[in-house]
Amino acid sequence: MSNAIPYLPRGVRTHYDRIRGRNVLLGPERALMLDEIGHAIIAELDGKRTETQIAADLATRYGAPVEAVSVDVAEFLTDLADKRLVERRDP
Amino acid sequence: MLAELTHRCPLSCPYCSNPQELTTISAELETDQWADIFRQAAELGVLQLHLSGGEPASRRDLVDLVIAAREAGLYTNLITSGIGLTPKRLEALNDAGLDHIQLSVQGVAPQLADWVGGYKGGFERKMHVAEHIARLGFPLTLNAVMHRHNLDDLPATIELALKLGARRMEVACVQFQGWALENRSMLQPTREQVDAAKALVAHARKEHRGTLVIDFVPPDYYADFPKACMGGWGSTGLNIAPDGKVLPCHAAETIPHLTFQHAQDVPLAEIWYDDPAFQAYRGTDWMPDLCQSCDRRDVDFGGCRCQAMAIAADAGATDPVCRKSPHRGLVDALLEAELGAQAQQDFIYRKPPASV
């Protein structure tokens, strides 16, 4: 899956919840509170870059080992894909 | 937040969650009143708005209501039977920014579905609507309400969801509130059906992972523990009736000692925080000792208040479906009596509200 391009499908979007002071991922009958890491990953989904590229960019930005970031990104996105809140397409 | 825009509906499903006393069209809120409620809700922290009914498409101003909801910043979901959604109207809803559609089905066999919905030709019309929903690219949830007469069709129901391109489906066993309570002996599934359905759902979830998300709402009477009704009374959800009455849940009016305020009279935030009806079963202080001392206290919050009212005649009791409830025997007796005798021969259909 790391070669796929992840994106938010129609009907799924982020929303800043002023009341709770959190970013939320809104989808069909779902509202997922995003932590900082989750929000950082979601913010990278531009529909252009592959999962590998996104993990590399995040690793560079946060000065973290790319292997660890790749695992986090893959787990997070796979979980959301299982919930159909993220889609993946071939590059 | 669930907004019951109207109690009008072309269908007359015998398990409708609307109250027995239906609101007439003349008592329904106006467009601008709803728009004001949507803005107040967003300010209060509501994230998702479910436009429901009755049939929300029975409101002529549905498109304007969706525009108002999106302007308020709410994620907007339409809960519909599909009847009344012409291709043109769906296109207008698409332009208005409707986020998601939840389409109900009464069954997968046209004859059975139309019998349950009390509306001839309904199934076929729904399928046409579903085609247009797919054509326009709306995210779709198929809501299959299940009971004794259609639970055996679960495999075909899952197939239908896949065929219609639904991302999600709800296999929602009938909850015995509203009209369903009148028809309980006709609707109650058998234990064999329930066990088979659970196994099927578990299997289908694995098989269709990443394609179809399946939410299963189990039938209460066969459960060991109650559902966390509304995620806890007055904690995450609220319901607005067609006349603006603000309820902690759609069945709350069955609790006779509670009175409710209207959103056109009192600010929504004031009702949410201070209304005695919302305070009545909020948190855990109201609970009987059985629930207070239970390790599931903060898991199921004592279950459903309306179910406690309906079965134990005490809205402050532990939900009688709980294995620990002193009233559990009543539930078991109901199951035995209703599945044994099967006295009821036909549905008592939901009657439409007077057209004044």
Side-chain angles (χ1 to χ4, degrees):
Chain A
M1 282 298 177
S2 57
N3 219 8
I5 297 174
Y7 64 98
L8 297 183
R10 176 171 172 183
V12 182
R13 52 192 158 88
T14 51
H15 173 84
Y16 181 69
D17 180 353
R18 284 181 295 114
I19 310 299
R20 299 167 187 90
R22 301 272 300 264
N23 285 290
V24 191
L25 189 65
L26 295 178
E29 313 200 30
R30 292 274 187 282
L32 291 185
M33 296 291 157
L34 294 170
D35 59 16
E36 271 180 58
I37 295 172
H39 184 244
I41 298 172
I42 292 289
E44 295 297 311
L45 306 187
D46 57 6
K48 296 187 183 106
R49 284 172 299 154
T50 64
E51 228 165 284
T52 310
Q53 289 167 320
I54 288 170
D57 289 351
L58 283 169
T60 308
R61 186 170 334 142
Y62 292 97
V66 70
E67 296 77 16
V69 174
S70 297
V71 171
D72 286 350
V73 168
E75 274 180 11
F76 182 71
L77 292 179
T78 299
D79 179 53
L80 291 179
D82 285 348
K83 296 185 171 111
R84 292 223 56 185
L85 296 172
V86 161
E87 303 281 306
R88 287 156 159 162
R89 63 176 174 82
D90 293 331
Chain B
M1 181 170 90
L2 186 78
E4 291 178 344
L5 298 176
T6 178
H7 278 161
R8 287 173 287 147
C9 184
L11 272 60
S12 44
C13 302
Y15 45 68
C16 181
S17 63
N18 287 163
Q20 260 80 353
E21 193 80 23
L22 294 167
T23 301
T24 59
I25 184 168
S26 58
E28 289 179 10
L29 294 183
E30 305 283 342
T31 316
D32 55 346
Q33 290 175 309
W34 277 117
D36 181 50
I37 292 171
F38 298 162
R39 283 190 291 272
Q40 290 189 53
E43 269 175 44
L44 185 59
V46 169
L47 297 171
Q48 298 222 347
L49 174 68
H50 308 286
L51 297 174
S52 179
E55 171 50 61
S58 298
R59 289 276 306 208
R60 281 201 288 195
D61 56 356
L62 180 62
V63 174
D64 292 330
L65 291 171
V66 169
I67 291 171
R70 286 304 314 267
E71 278 176 2
L74 297 169
Y75 188 97
T76 308
N77 173 28
L78 182 68
I79 299 179
T80 179
S81 70
I83 308 298
L85 289 177
T86 60
K88 206 172 157 188
R89 233 167 156 211
L90 278 168
E91 277 157 30
L93 289 168
N94 193 22
D95 294 340
L98 179 65
D99 286 295
H100 172 245
I101 294 179
Q102 185 191 117
L103 181 70
S104 66
V105 287
Q106 283 68 40
V108 287
Q111 205 182 348
L112 177 90
D114 292 355
W115 170 58
V116 172
Y119 185 84
K120 203 161 186 274
F123 180 81
E124 202 178 324
R125 288 181 66 173
K126 249 176 224 287
M127 292 304 108
H128 286 305
V129 172
E131 276 172 33
H132 289 287
I133 290 172
R135 177 176 61 83
L136 292 166
F138 280 112
L140 173 70
T141 290
L142 194 74
N143 177 21
V145 183
M146 309 302 282
H147 45 80
R148 190 163 77 238
H149 299 282
N150 64 7
L151 205 47
D152 294 335
D153 296 334
L154 184 54
T157 312
I158 294 169
E159 286 305 314
L160 179 67
L162 291 164
K163 191 183 118 196
L164 298 178
R167 286 187 208 169
R168 260 186 93 238
M169 80 177 293
E170 290 181 16
V171 177
C173 294
V174 165
Q175 303 297 296
F176 293 110
Q177 304 292 345
W179 293 84
L181 208 49
E182 299 274 317
N183 288 291
R184 192 171 51 198
S185 66
M186 276 286 279
L187 295 166
Q188 191 73 262
T190 65
R191 183 172 292 280
E192 292 71 34
Q193 284 181 311
V194 175
D195 290 343
K198 282 183 184 167
L200 259 165
V201 166
H203 178 76
R205 272 181 184 153
K206 271 188 209 144
E207 190 181 351
H208 305 299
R209 194 168 69 178
T211 305
L212 180 67
V213 177
I214 306 177
D215 282 349
F216 182 60
V217 182
D220 274 341
Y221 289 34
Y222 291 102
D224 291 327
F225 298 110
K227 290 191 193 74
C229 182
M230 303 295 289
W233 182 277
S235 76
T236 49
L238 72 163
N239 183 76
I240 317 275
D243 61 355
K245 206 181 278 173
V246 186
L247 307 169
C249 84
H250 59 76
E253 285 178 281
T254 61
I255 301 175
H257 69 87
L258 298 180
T259 54
F260 305 99
Q261 296 177 289
H262 290 76
Q264 64 272 39
D265 302 334
V266 183
L268 199 57
E270 195 178 314
I271 296 177
W272 175 258
Y273 289 113
D274 301 330
D275 183 38
F278 275 81
Q279 300 279 26
Y281 304 108
R282 181 176 268 158
T284 55
D285 288 350
W286 63 272
M287 287 179 180
D289 289 343
L290 180 63
C291 296
Q292 286 278 5
S293 61
C294 181
D295 59 2
R296 294 181 59 87
R297 183 186 70 177
D298 301 313
V299 177
D300 52 36
F301 302 100
C304 173
R305 301 301 85 232
C306 303
Q307 191 143 267
M309 187 71 228
I311 296 175
D314 175 7
T318 299
D319 188 327
V321 307
C322 181
R323 291 289 159 196
K324 298 180 181 178
S325 162
H327 299 108
R328 174 66 214 191
L330 293 173
V331 176
D332 292 327
L334 282 168
L335 277 177
E336 199 174 331
E338 288 171 348
L339 290 170
Q342 310 221 344
Q344 195 179 343
Q345 294 300 313
D346 199 3
F347 290 129
I348 299 165
Y349 286 97
R350 171 198 196 269
K351 283 174 212 63
S355 57
V356 286

